[in-house]
Amino acid sequence: MSRIYTQKGLGLFVLGLFFACVIATSCDSSQKIPKVHIVEIRGMKFVPEELHLSKGDTVIWVNKDLVMHDVTEESKKAWASGIIASKSSWKRAITNSSDYYCNLHVVMKGKLVVD
Amino acid sequence: MENTRNLLIKLSRVALIISLVTVTVSAQDNPKLTDPEVASVAVVANQIDISYAEIAKKKSKNEDILQFATTMINDHNEVIAQAVALAKKLGVTPADNAVSKSLLAGAEKTKKMLKSKRGKAFDRAYIDNEVTYHKAVIEAIESLLIPETDNAELKSLLNAVLPALKTHLGHAETVQKKVSK
């Protein structure tokens, strides 16, 4: 009986080792797993105002103000969220450093820095 | 109930500060207000700025002015919704009163002045008035209402509204610089 358990345990160990090898070889250690960052819109500010991130990371803007906002890329209006209602959010995967602002309240500005 | 009344009396004082700055109400026009009347004043102050913005949307062709006016309509409608919700929670139904009528009378004069202007003269008059109006409202809320109020919900609402008003002022001043060129 104990021999059967030992063989079963050894089998599970080998199986685990196999999957560990598969996972290890399929993952390129030079590639980072994209992260998700939160930028809160509160008190008529983007918080944090400047966000450092990696290429491909996703940013979620969460509107915690009473009033609606939007998020618009500043230099060429290359991308824009459209209206983000109060208590709503919008997300975008970021590939380039960008300055952005709220097109509804033009004095509200933020910055994304891809390191 | 006493707390509610005190808060609403403070609200009426704020409304009076706004009216003194923007409408020039005389000393004898300083009536005691009932709770429903004060609720009316709070709503009217926002409605007035919406009415200015609606004129701007009809008369201006300036993109900056039109965008600012749209934001004023959206944001002040949102503040009204919040104020009405709070009034309802406090069991207050807005009612016309001397202060709200005085504010509206002053606004009528301003609207008449705005309607008499065209083109760049209109744009300048509208945005100058927006700068003045927002300064007055901010001053009233910061110097009187927030320091004096004890009601956590009202304080929270005022604290939430104040940054929006300051952003409106900053936005208005930015547009003012562009329009005055």
Side-chain angles (χ1 to χ4, degrees):
Chain A
M1 182 65 82
S2 64
R3 191 176 173 188
I4 294 169
Y5 277 125
T6 305
Q7 284 179 338
K8 196 175 179 181
L10 185 63
L12 285 171
F13 174 74
V14 170
L15 193 65
L17 199 63
F18 171 74
F19 280 114
C21 289
V22 168
I23 291 166
T25 52
S26 65
C27 292
D28 181 351
S29 60
S30 66
Q31 284 186 336
K32 290 181 181 174
I33 298 169
K35 290 182 182 173
V36 175
H37 306 265
I38 304 288
V39 173
E40 289 187 355
I41 309 173
R42 56 182 156 89
M44 307 299 279
K45 290 183 188 302
F46 296 109
V47 182
E49 217 163 68
E50 180 173 321
L51 177 67
H52 288 252
L53 68 170
S54 299
K55 186 174 182 177
D57 285 359
T58 294
V59 178
I60 304 175
W61 284 268
V62 182
N63 183 3
K64 296 194 168 183
D65 270 340
L66 293 176
V67 299
M68 61 177 73
H69 291 291
D70 87 343
V71 181
T72 301
E73 192 277 327
E74 190 165 20
S75 64
K76 297 176 182 172
K77 296 194 175 183
W79 47 266
S81 63
I83 297 295
I84 308 174
S86 177
K87 296 174 186 168
S88 297
S89 63
W90 180 74
K91 66 180 178 181
R92 178 178 174 84
I94 302 301
T95 52
N96 300 308
S97 294
S98 312
D99 289 343
Y100 66 89
Y101 71 113
C102 173
N103 195 38
L104 309 178
H105 309 94
V106 295
V107 293
M108 288 175 61
K109 294 177 186 290
K111 183 187 278 285
L112 302 172
V113 181
V114 175
D115 292 324
Chain B
M1 191 62 189
E2 186 61 29
N3 281 344
T4 302
R5 181 164 181 78
N6 287 341
L7 291 170
L8 292 172
I9 288 169
K10 286 168 187 171
L11 261 175
S12 73
R13 291 172 63 194
V14 169
L16 282 170
I17 286 180
I18 297 166
S19 65
L20 283 165
V21 174
T22 60
V23 189
T24 318
V25 176
S26 60
Q28 61 269 28
D29 295 333
N30 192 352
K32 293 282 183 186
L33 297 175
T34 65
D35 295 355
E37 288 170 341
V38 172
S40 171
V41 171
V43 172
V44 162
N46 282 283
Q47 285 174 333
I48 286 170
D49 205 45
I50 291 171
S51 68
Y52 296 153
E54 284 169 345
I55 295 170
K57 291 203 67 162
K58 285 179 186 166
K59 295 203 70 161
S60 182
K61 291 184 171 61
N62 181 299
E63 277 299 318
D64 293 318
I65 293 285
L66 291 171
Q67 188 188 41
F68 179 83
T70 301
T71 295
M72 291 307 101
I73 290 170
N74 291 337
D75 287 3
H76 285 290
N77 270 322
E78 193 57 55
V79 174
I80 287 172
Q82 297 288 332
V84 168
L86 183 59
K88 190 177 176 183
K89 193 173 181 179
L90 297 174
V92 171
T93 304
D96 285 348
N97 59 83
V99 175
S100 63
K101 285 177 182 170
S102 174
L103 282 170
L104 286 168
E108 283 306 313
K109 287 179 188 170
T110 303
K111 285 193 279 186
K112 193 173 177 183
M113 177 273 291
L114 290 173
K115 285 176 180 172
S116 72
K117 296 186 183 297
R118 298 176 61 187
K120 286 185 178 178
F122 170 82
D123 294 340
R124 281 196 289 270
Y126 169 70
I127 206 66
D128 286 352
N129 183 61
E130 286 301 292
V131 169
T132 303
Y133 192 77
H134 280 89
K135 278 181 180 172
V137 175
I138 290 165
E139 166 65 19
I141 291 175
E142 273 188 331
S143 66
L144 188 67
L145 199 52
I146 287 179
E148 288 193 10
T149 190
D150 296 320
N151 182 290
E153 282 181 285
L154 184 56
K155 193 173 277 239
S156 175
L157 178 60
L158 291 168
N159 275 313
V161 169
L162 198 52
L165 295 174
K166 287 182 176 178
T167 302
H168 291 173
L169 175 59
H171 191 167
E173 287 172 337
T174 301
V175 176
Q176 189 180 40
K177 281 178 191 166
K178 284 188 183 179
V179 167
S180 63
K181 284 179 182 173

